[in-house]
Amino acid sequence: MAMPRLSVNRRQACLAASTLLAGCSRDEGGVLRFWAMGREGLVASELLRGFEAEHPGVRVKVETLPWLSAHEKLLTAFAGDATPDIAQLGNTWLPEFQQLGALEPLEPWIAQSALPADDYFPGIWATNLAGGQRVGLPWYVDTRLLFVRHDLLARAGWPQMPQTWDDWRGCLAALRRSGVAAPLLLPTNEFEPLLALALQQGDELLREGGRYGNFRSNGFQKALNFYLERFAAGDAPGITNNQISNLWQEFGRGSFAFYLSGPWNIGEFKRRMPPELADSWSTAELPGPDPKQGFGASVAGGASLGIFKRSRHKALAWQLIEYLSRPSVQLQFYRLTGDLPPRLSTWQQPLPEGGTLEQDRHAAAFHRQLQRARATPAVPEWERIVQEMQLEAARAVHRHTPVPEAAAALDARVDALLEKRRWMLARHST
């Protein structure tokens, strides 16, 4: 079969990659500086032994950064011309570092690699595109769904997990009638629950190319109304997670039946829940607003690997990214950290204990939810925007603010945050 002709841009990308990769043999020795965060940084050295064995004379020097200070340290390193060769980056950081010109565009490298885009969860793959450039490759993925006490649901007359918002309302009411006073835990100091509900709508969260907030849209107001309704109906207590003395103990006691959280809690619940309740809880996808669609979308999160433009070992850094992207290495990474892999083929790798990750009782719902995960707007201000969303939602919970008023207040705050972006875009277009 004849090979398809490449477009001019693609041919140029491939030529650039060939030129870059041609330097690999001259770049085999030396030290690669790799910055990673939290638990990932602590296990990275063990994960990289195989890479160093394949590249004699190469050493990967890992520096572990605390998540709370990592963003600031990366910015300081960029300002001081002291960036590492490669770093773990939160997906919401990519637009900021791309705008600064700190990161190497990866399309030329991907064009010459064996990393197929269709082997990644689509929503996660989309998070790596910032300013029209792909500047990161997913390292691990994250989304939000429900941790569920199925035994409490069955006792309340719901043997099956509700798939729609209407069914969820009915299930929550039945749980309250069965004696679970506030069956849904939605900590008011977390933005992810409301964000996930908003991503289930057709309306974008920002409008005009990320210049203005779009929180007065019908879609966001529908999501905010459903969120606030849970507190007004008594389904969720208006508390922060800091007001819960022991999350796992309360879940085991049956104080609540639903908790919206991420994959790191699989291991925590396995360790901390009473053994006799091991079969009483699991994970489930988020119900959606459309009865025709069933389960809904959620957040596309996680962290990616990026190469800094100032690296003198870019070809070798790309080889490291390719190594960390192998399904066998991703599975080893999962076993070391509990972080979920971004490649679909990794989920089909056999596990030592039998079966695959795709079939795992607690991970399978994440696999399904990740296929419906949606990327958030790729603007540098996004982390500040979601914090404003969380603060405004918390105010609305406690002050019983009408939805249109809360949405308008949030738009005003977000428009102020985006003022500099509008100025920069206007200046760029003239």
Side-chain angles (χ1 to χ4, degrees), residues 54-184:
E54 292 179 10
H55 296 77
V58 173
R59 185 168 71 91
V60 183
K61 184 178 180 182
V62 179
E63 182 172 347
T64 303
L65 311 180
W67 269 110
L68 289 176
S69 60
H71 181 263
E72 182 179 353
K73 183 161 185 178
L74 284 164
L75 288 175
T76 302
F78 173 74
D81 197 13
T83 50
D85 296 291
I86 182 173
Q88 171 189 355
L89 298 158
N91 288 342
T92 56
W93 300 355
L94 293 175
E96 179 180 10
F97 285 93
Q98 186 275 333
Q99 184 174 289
L100 289 171
L103 297 174
E104 174 80 1
L106 297 183
E107 289 290 5
W109 302 94
I110 295 171
Q112 288 290 298
S113 76
L115 296 174
D118 60 2
D119 194 34
Y120 288 80
F121 293 102
I124 301 296
W125 187 252
T127 64
N128 282 227
L129 196 64
Q133 293 182 321
R134 189 164 301 282
V135 290
L137 199 74
W139 191 21
Y140 65 86
V141 295
D142 177 23
T143 191
R144 297 297 190 274
L145 48 59
L146 292 168
F147 286 72
V148 185
R149 281 287 302 272
H150 292 287
D151 58 331
L152 298 182
L153 268 65
R155 190 179 72 188
W158 285 82
Q160 301 296 324
M161 176 66 195
Q163 295 188 22
T164 67
W165 283 9
D166 284 342
D167 284 345
W168 200 10
R169 286 186 180 100
C171 180
L172 289 165
L175 283 163
R176 283 190 282 110
R177 289 194 298 270
S178 72
V180 184
L184 173 61

Side-chain angles (χ1 to χ4, degrees), residues 212-269:
Y212 296 93
N214 196 33
F215 297 98
R216 280 175 287 189
S217 67
N218 290 334
F220 181 79
Q221 291 199 52
K222 182 179 179 182
L224 180 59
N225 182 70
F226 181 83
Y227 176 83
L228 295 177
E229 185 184 83
R230 306 282 58 79
F231 297 94
D235 294 333
I239 59 175
T240 69
N241 54 20
N242 298 323
Q243 293 173 275
I244 305 168
S245 58
N246 189 309
L247 170 69
W248 304 276
Q249 187 178 71
E250 295 303 320
F251 192 59
R253 286 176 175 170
S255 300
F256 51 92
F258 292 106
Y259 175 47
L260 199 152
S261 190
W264 65 88
N265 258 324
I266 292 177
E268 292 295 332
F269 276 97

Side-chain angles (χ1 to χ4, degrees), residues 14 78 99 102 110 191 193 275 391 410 412:
C14 291
F78 173 74
Q99 184 174 289
I110 295 171
F191 65 82
L391 289 171
L410 179 56

